[in-house]
Every structure is written in C-alpha cells, then in structure tokens.
Amino acid sequence: MDYFSEMVSSYEGLTPIETHGGHLVKRDDLFSIGGVNGGKVRTCWHLAQGAKGLVTAGSRQSPQVNIVAHIAKKLNIPCRVHMPRGKLSPEALAAKKSGAKIFQHKAGYNSVIIKRARDDAADLGFMEIPFGMECKEAAEATKHQVENIPAAAERIVISVGSGMSLAGVLHGLMEFNLKIPVLGVKVGADPIKRLNRYAPSGWEDMVDLVDSGLDYHTHSEISILGGLPLDPVYEAKCLSFLQDNDLLWVVGIRQTAK
C-alpha cells in the first residue's frame, strides 16, 4: 500500500450518494471530526497529526479558519489564524470561541495573510495548514470519494473555490475510468494556476468552468436543495446551474450554516 492509499484508508470511508430535490448529491459534507464537516476537514485532520500547533490563513468568510480551529481543539493543541481586518464573520467568531488566536492584517492580496501565516508557523514550529488546502494531500484524499458515483450521474456539478476539491474529483474520474463531464462553478479567485499544478494533465478537456455570477462574499439567496441545507458561499451558488441527471458534489458546509 502506498503512502496516500494508507493515509486515506486510515481514517475514512466513502461518503454516501443521496437524492435531494430530484438530484443526486454526493454528501462529502457528512465526513465529520470535532464538530466540523466536509472534505477540507479530511485533509486538515491528516495534516495535523503529530503537530504541536496549527496555523492557517483564510478570508473572513472562509470556513477553513473554523475547521482548523476545531481540529486543533480536538487534538488539544494551539491554533493561530491570520485573516484580513474587518468585522469577524460567524465562522471566525466560532474559531475564536474554540480557542483560536485571531490575527487580522490590513486588507490586501491573499498573499499577505498567507505569508504572515507561513512565517508564524515557521517561527513557532507549528504545522501550516495551507490557504485553500492547497496541497497534494487534498486532491489525493478527495479522488477516492469518486468511487461510488452511480452510473445514473450524467454530469458532476461542483463549486470551485481554490480548485483543490475539483482537482481531486478529476483525478478520481481518471483513477476509476469514469467518462463523466464536470461543470465547475467558480465562486472565488481564478483557480487555473492551482488546477494546472494539482489536477491531472489534460484537465481542461474534463471540465467546463463558469462564473457563479455572485461575488465570493455574497451569500446565495437560496441555499436549500429539497430540504438539504447547502453552504451559502459555495454549493448554493451551483443551484441555478443544475440540470436533470446532474450530481451535485457537496464538498462541505460551514458549521454556522448547518
């Protein structure tokens, strides 16, 4: 068994496929550790093993800061979070309540808070949980979740933030030899550079990328699919793109939206 297969099999199984609102839904949001849910939790849990503390960077709207804070609490280690200045979102407040120390920096490019987090982690000897979970472990863990996609799924629709979950899905389609088209709904910054780095070669022929039509920080007015709550910043922005026989891939849901 190789490193990544060992990593994946050691702490998770396949999350289920369900039907909601007449659509197939991949419920990766049902993966849960420490009170937080989703594919990012899977990656963070793995990266955090053996760490003496965790440091991450995220936008004030990102669920990642709260995920990292809860994983740190679960492991009984300190957590430090770097984000732009401004009013703390419910997720950031939840992270603070879980014990994370919040450091806010003058608003600017994401590269600023990323560097602050990286330097902070290096100075303290803590584990840096990458912004947007940008690491090969994220794509590798996600790809195994493709295994139970049913034959009835004619297209996969997935929200695209950093692009790491999409990269994992595309690797999984190749791994399991599934010829299913993918629609990636962009909700944040351009993911092309990360896809070029982490997605399989030729990924451009496997997915169509479209803009959600909403600013990243704007919540979708509708965030429920047949009674299933969806993350208002991510999956909910896919709803207007769903067609018959689509499968909506739910990466996760922020703790404060459940």
Side-chain angles (χ1 to χ4, degrees):
M1 182 179 290
D2 63 25
Y3 166 77
F4 286 119
S5 296
E6 192 172 76
M7 176 267 287
V8 171
S9 65
S10 66
Y11 63 92
E12 58 88 15
L14 292 173
T15 49
I17 305 292
E18 298 176 351
T19 300
H20 294 274
H23 293 282
L24 292 168
V25 181
K26 172 64 173 179
R27 297 293 309 278
D28 218 24
D29 60 307
L30 290 179
F31 181 85
S32 179
I33 294 178
V36 283
N37 298 65
K40 286 189 175 183
V41 176
R42 184 185 292 113
T43 302
C44 183
W45 178 250
H46 167 67
L47 293 175
Q49 299 307 302
K52 68 177 186 179
L54 303 180
V55 178
T56 196
S59 78
R60 287 181 292 115
Q61 286 290 343
S62 172
Q64 176 163 321
V65 297
N66 194 31
I67 287 171
V68 176
H70 276 74
I71 293 300
K73 183 178 180 180
K74 176 76 172 178
L75 294 172
N76 197 29
I77 57 177
C79 176
R80 295 161 68 89
V81 170
H82 295 262
M83 61 175 53
R85 290 178 188 169
K87 182 180 178 180
L88 294 181
S89 68
E91 286 292 291
L93 290 171
K96 185 176 181 180
K97 186 177 180 180
S98 292
K101 290 187 176 181
I102 308 291
F103 300 90
Q104 293 186 275
H105 307 281
K106 184 177 179 180
Y109 293 109
N110 286 336
S111 58
V112 174
I113 58 171
I114 292 172
K115 186 176 189 308
R116 296 291 186 273
R118 186 162 297 155
D119 291 346
D120 193 21
D123 289 344
L124 295 171
F126 285 7
M127 169 62 68
E128 179 198 0
I129 305 299
F131 180 86
M133 296 294 173
E134 185 180 341
C135 58
K136 58 186 178 181
E137 289 88 350
E140 190 68 27
T142 298
K143 84 173 186 181
H144 296 271
Q145 291 299 322
V146 174
E147 185 175 359
N148 64 344
I149 298 299
E154 296 182 2
R155 186 177 69 163
I156 295 170
V157 179
I158 184 171
S159 65
V160 181
S162 67
M164 297 310 303
S165 295
L166 172 58
V169 169
L170 297 179
H171 276 292
L173 291 175
M174 294 190 69
E175 176 89 1
F176 298 103
N177 195 30
L178 299 175
K179 307 297 184 183
I180 306 174
V182 178
L183 180 71
V185 180
K186 295 186 293 182
V187 301
D190 192 339
I192 298 297
K193 288 184 179 179
R194 284 179 292 277
L195 290 170
N196 284 338
R197 183 173 183 182
Y198 295 100
S201 177
W203 67 266
E204 301 93 337
D205 297 325
M206 303 173 68
V207 59
D208 288 326
L209 292 174
V210 297
D211 289 314
S212 72
L214 293 173
D215 180 79
Y216 173 76
H217 298 282
T218 301
H219 287 207
S220 175
E221 291 184 2
I222 301 173
S223 58
I224 295 179
L225 177 62
L228 175 68
L230 300 174
D231 192 283
V233 176
Y234 290 89
E235 281 72 22
K237 293 176 182 176
C238 296
L239 289 176
S240 63
F241 296 93
L242 288 178
Q243 300 175 359
D244 291 344
N245 303 315
D246 279 348
L247 178 144
L248 176 63
W249 188 290
V250 178
V251 177
I253 185 167
R254 65 194 59 225
Q255 186 189 47
T256 55
K258 286 190 294 183

